[in-house]
């Protein structure tokens, strides 16, 4: 199921991201803020556990998300600010890393690094800002599914209708939380209007 955020603050931050004047620090900061909004929406029905903590008045049983039941998987490079943002909210969550690069001629993603932790029985939050053709997301989901998580949720900033359809058809059980669904892909498979190359915008590279 695809859940597009509708909050006006979300749309305002997406507009900030599209603005070419936004430097890399503010670009990554805005990605991180949007990620927090996505986490709140995506985990709105997450079960709470009980935990004993020491407060200023003594021992108290409190409610908490079992953070260690969550694995946050990022796709390098553009997903790094999203991972950092989720880990700020859920510091006990476990991080996993995949590195993929789209071949700019074939537009297909190529996996070049896999450092997934054990995902068995856990909730996986897969974070990647862009869903263009959907190829990177499909490859990442295939790998993650093979590690037997109990549930997979993706957090994305901008997607194309085509790419999201591809992911939804291949993995209908996956919940996709996204800040903005854009119009289309151009001939180079970039999202229109999109924001350009999220990895390059984040780290001042031009390819
Ligand atoms: C971007 C983005 C996704 C991918 C989406 O990464 O972070 O992983 O493109 O495109 P797709 O849906 O067509 O597969 P990119 O390959 O630009 O690598 P980078 O993060 O290192 O810049
Ligand atoms: N990757 C990006 O970073 N941007 C796009 O528009 C497509 C793929």
């Amino acid at each position: 199921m695809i859940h597009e955020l509708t909050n006006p603050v979300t749309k305002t931050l997406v507009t900030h991201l599209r603005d070419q004047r936004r430097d890399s620090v503010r670009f990554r900061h805005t990605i991180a803020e949007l990620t927090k909004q996505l986490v709140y929406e995506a985990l709105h029905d997450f079960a709470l556990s009980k935990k004993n903590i020491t407060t200023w008045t003594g021992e108290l049983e409190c409610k908490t998300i079992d953070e260690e039941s969550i694995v946050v998987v990022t796709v390098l490079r553009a997903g790094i600010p999203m991972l950092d943002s989720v880990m700020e909210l859920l510091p006990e969550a476990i991080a996993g890393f995949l590195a993929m690069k789209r071949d700019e001629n074939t537009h297909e993603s190529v996996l070049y690094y896999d450092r997934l932790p054990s995902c068995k029985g856990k909730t996986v939050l897969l974070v990647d800002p862009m869903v263009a053709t959907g190829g990177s997301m499909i490859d990442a989901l295939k790998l993650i599914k093979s590690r037997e998580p109990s549930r997979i949720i993706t957090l994305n900033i901008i997607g194309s209708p085509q790419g999201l359809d591809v992911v939804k058809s291949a993995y209908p059980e996956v919940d996709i939380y996204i800040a903005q669904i854009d119009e289309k892909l151009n001939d180079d498979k970039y999202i229109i209007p999109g924001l350009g190359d999220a990895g390059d915008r984040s780290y001042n590279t031009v390819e």
Side-chain angles (χ1 to χ4, degrees):
M1 181 127 176
I2 299 173
H3 313 261
E4 182 183 8
L5 272 52
T6 56
N7 191 298
V9 178
T10 308
K11 301 305 177 190
T12 302
L13 293 185
V14 170
T15 296
H16 288 175
L17 280 182
R18 296 196 204 275
D19 187 341
Q20 286 298 307
R21 291 173 309 172
R22 196 136 280 236
D23 65 29
S24 64
V25 172
R26 291 205 303 156
F27 185 86
R28 284 183 272 123
H29 181 75
T30 306
I31 292 271
E33 289 300 314
L34 281 163
T35 303
K36 289 195 169 67
Q37 295 180 8
L38 290 165
V39 172
Y40 290 128
E41 288 296 324
L43 300 188
H44 73 279
D45 61 353
F46 205 84
L48 286 167
S49 308
K50 291 180 177 147
K51 179 180 182 181
N52 285 321
I53 59 165
T54 307
T55 72
W56 67 294
T57 55
E59 289 289 301
L60 187 67
E61 189 181 78
C62 296
K63 291 177 183 166
T64 181
I65 287 176
D66 176 8
E67 296 177 25
E68 289 172 26
S69 71
I70 295 180
V71 177
V72 191
V73 176
T74 191
V75 181
L76 305 183
R77 296 171 301 169
I80 295 172
M82 297 187 76
L83 171 78
D84 290 344
S85 181
V86 180
M87 299 290 284
E88 279 171 14
L89 286 177
L90 305 170
E92 310 284 335
I94 300 155
F97 298 83
L98 296 174
M100 290 180 189
K101 179 79 191 81
R102 281 202 328 172
D103 182 308
E104 293 305 339
N105 295 315
T106 65
H107 309 301
E108 287 181 7
S109 75
V110 182
L111 178 77
Y112 61 93
Y113 184 68
D114 167 3
R115 195 75 199 268
L116 283 184
S118 168
C119 299
K120 198 174 170 76
K122 305 215 183 246
T123 296
V124 170
L125 299 181
L126 171 60
V127 301
D128 188 343
M130 310 304 278
V131 185
T133 64
S136 307
M137 188 68 74
I138 291 277
D139 290 352
L141 287 170
K142 188 174 173 200
L143 259 173
I144 292 166
K145 284 283 279 191
S146 71
R147 313 290 166 98
E148 302 177 51
S150 60
R151 186 179 176 195
I152 307 176
I153 301 170
T154 78
L155 307 181
N156 310 102
I157 307 293
I158 298 185
S160 75
Q162 299 95 307
L164 290 166
D165 273 353
V166 166
V167 177
K168 191 173 81 172
S169 303
Y171 295 101
E173 71 282 16
V174 169
D175 279 308
I176 300 171
Y177 282 81
I178 187 157
Q180 173 69 29
I181 302 176
D182 269 356
E183 288 168 25
K184 59 181 182 184
L185 295 177
N186 69 9
D187 291 343
D188 290 326
K189 308 297 180 198
Y190 274 85
I191 299 170
I192 301 296
L195 47 71
D197 187 300
D200 289 348
R201 297 277 314 272
S202 294
Y203 298 108
N204 294 327
T205 48
V206 183
E207 294 184 356

